[in-house]
Amino acid sequence: MAMVFTQPKKNLLPLLLFLFCISVIILLILVSETTHSSPERATTFHRNHNNNLPPFTFLIKVLTFNRLHSLSRCLHSLSAAEYGIAGDARRIHLHVYIDHFTLSPNDKPVEGSLNSAKEILDFVDKFEWRFGEKLVHYRTGNAGLQGQWLEAWWPSSDHEFAFVVEDDVEVSPLYYGFLESVIRNYYYDRSNYNPSIYGASLQRPRFVPGKHGNKLHVDHKTNVFLYQLVGTWGQLLFPRPWKEFRLWYDEHKSMDKKPFLDGMVTNGWYKRIGERIWTPWFIKFIHSRGYFNIYTNFPNERALSVSHRDAGVNYGKTIGPDSQLLNKSSISSDFLKLQPLSNLKWYDYCFSEVVPGRVVRNLNELGTILPSVQREKTVVLVSLFAADKMFIRNLLCHFEKLDTRNHIFIGPSSELFYDLSRRGHPVIDADMFLDKLVKGKTSYSNSVKEALGNAYVVKKCLELGYSTWVFSSNALLVDKVPLLDRVRSEYDFYIGESSGILIVKSSSTTQKLWSNELLHSIVSSATKSPSPKQGLDFIRLVKELVERNGKMIKTVETMSIAENTNANSVNRSLGDGKPVASWSPEVDSNIIQTKLAELNLWLIDDDLSCKAVICHSSLR
């Protein structure tokens, strides 16, 4: 009997073709995932509860030389840490950098050094690292501690992170969980990201590098804070700031510049040890950029990493651990729940608090910020209109020298404007500030916006009971003591007309006069038709209006160092007791810089950062 094979129905063919395509796609996905999980590649891991987190690479960089016992303790502590899913997937990579002994012909016989190096190499070769790749780099020459640090890493992408430890460091089993949480919360979470943060230190904060700085004290409820100082006993480095530092280092080193920063303990380190250490270079760089490091603060002097301070480059003899390692029994259940960045406190090299991100956009915000800015019921208002960045930076160094922290800037939004805010200086966005106060303000010249902004800020200061010192961008406060002495007289208004300085003392009389008469007249003069684009001299206008109202004005004597574009007009002496230096904005900036340098009033370096850190202790 013949068997009959029926033809498949034509309507099944599209279904079969669809199933075949789906099978191929699934197969390709599986192959791709298997390939990417191969330990031979630079592997990555994801944040478990957020599939949108970009992949990143985690590299452990161990720096060692000739301390086998120290290295063994360090590697075993790293191996005993909890790496979770990333460790199970072999996605934590270990790179060991072994420095070579010196080969100077004047050295003693090298047999001992050769044997020591061989012992370390044998140990590292046999050491089992089950969490990812293990890479061993044995140098052919002695690089020293500076070379070991600087040559250990050049990030291959913005998603690669390095955790650097010297061989006498021991880490807590909990260290990786914390660092993964830091990367997740403060690098990839856009609401918490800040480009000023360069990494995280796991060591216990121990000292303040600025001479005469505040005592290092953090509230016991604070587990995480930000501090400018780098930590060498277990430091996580973010890729972009580290690349920036390496390029900055190369530039400065090639020009034979030294990382001196007056007022810092690190100056003594560099003078004593020189190029054998790298931290003075990084500290100088961080100071020039205004960057910060994440630190932890746990009870009973515990930390996620400790240094045993074994004898070596940094210590002549072994001192022992500086603190105790954190373990599960000493932490709470919310250990990895980090606070929003906006809730954390920031500290500079003097361990003085820094408050970044204070941008005023309206009168209500101004009223909220001014109480934290004022000192002794006085606010210094500095204009950024037509300002040269280097003169503003130089002014800030004088403010630091004079311990003048009650300043606030006003001007248009710009790179300088936001950089000042990022570094902790309060700023007023003039355009947004005036938006609801003055109609058609966008068509006005900068001098008009400056006059209007100054007028409303002075009004708000008077309402709060604060005196206001208004400075133009071509004036420099040199000594505030004689200025304070003069302001204590019976006058309510002080003006330096040529220098662009106005001081308005707080009193019921000035508040009433400013609110009822002067503000209205200033706004009217600034906005009157038909030519609102014309320039306006705020100081001269206030002088005329005050005199018109029958009030007395005291002149502020200033030191004019350059009155016009003729370089021969530059004055040659400071003058007696003149608290303010000023110059014409028409004079070339190089002439002004040269004159200020001759008078020892140029306090910034080629990076436009202060040549010195000057600490003023505050009561805590």
Side-chain angles (χ1 to χ4, degrees), residues 445-470:
S445 66
N446 281 339
S447 63
V448 170
K449 293 179 184 178
E450 180 181 34
L452 293 171
N454 289 346
Y456 280 104
V457 173
V458 172
K459 177 178 181 291
K460 176 58 71 172
C461 286
L462 291 173
E463 289 175 355
L464 296 172
Y466 305 149
S467 299
T468 314
W469 296 11
V470 182

Side-chain angles (χ1 to χ4, degrees), residues 5 16 37 73 84 88 135 179 240 290 319 392 395 397 513 550:
F5 294 91
L16 293 174
S37 64
R73 179 181 56 216
D88 294 339
L135 180 150
L179 291 183
R240 290 183 185 178
I319 297 178
I392 295 297
L395 172 65
C397 297
L513 177 63

Side-chain angles (χ1 to χ4, degrees), residues 173 199 242 349 433 560:
W242 183 255
Y349 282 142
F433 181 70
S560 179

Side-chain angles (χ1 to χ4, degrees), residues 341-413:
L341 197 60
S342 58
N343 292 353
L344 303 184
K345 291 192 174 183
W346 305 56
Y347 298 93
D348 61 16
Y349 282 142
C350 298
F351 213 73
S352 295
E353 188 173 354
V354 177
V355 185
R358 288 178 292 175
V359 179
V360 173
R361 299 177 178 88
N362 55 58
L363 271 176
N364 289 335
E365 291 179 351
L366 180 65
T368 301
I369 283 182
L370 284 178
S372 65
V373 172
Q374 63 84 27
R375 271 191 168 189
E376 298 180 353
K377 295 188 176 300
T378 300
V379 173
V380 179
L381 176 65
V382 181
S383 172
L384 291 177
F385 287 96
D388 190 313
K389 179 167 69 172
M390 67 178 181
F391 293 132
I392 295 297
R393 291 284 183 82
N394 189 57
L395 172 65
L396 286 172
C397 297
H398 281 272
F399 280 171
E400 183 175 325
K401 181 179 179 180
L402 298 172
D403 195 20
T404 301
R405 305 180 191 177
N406 55 330
H407 57 274
I408 186 168
F409 293 94
I410 184 169
S413 59

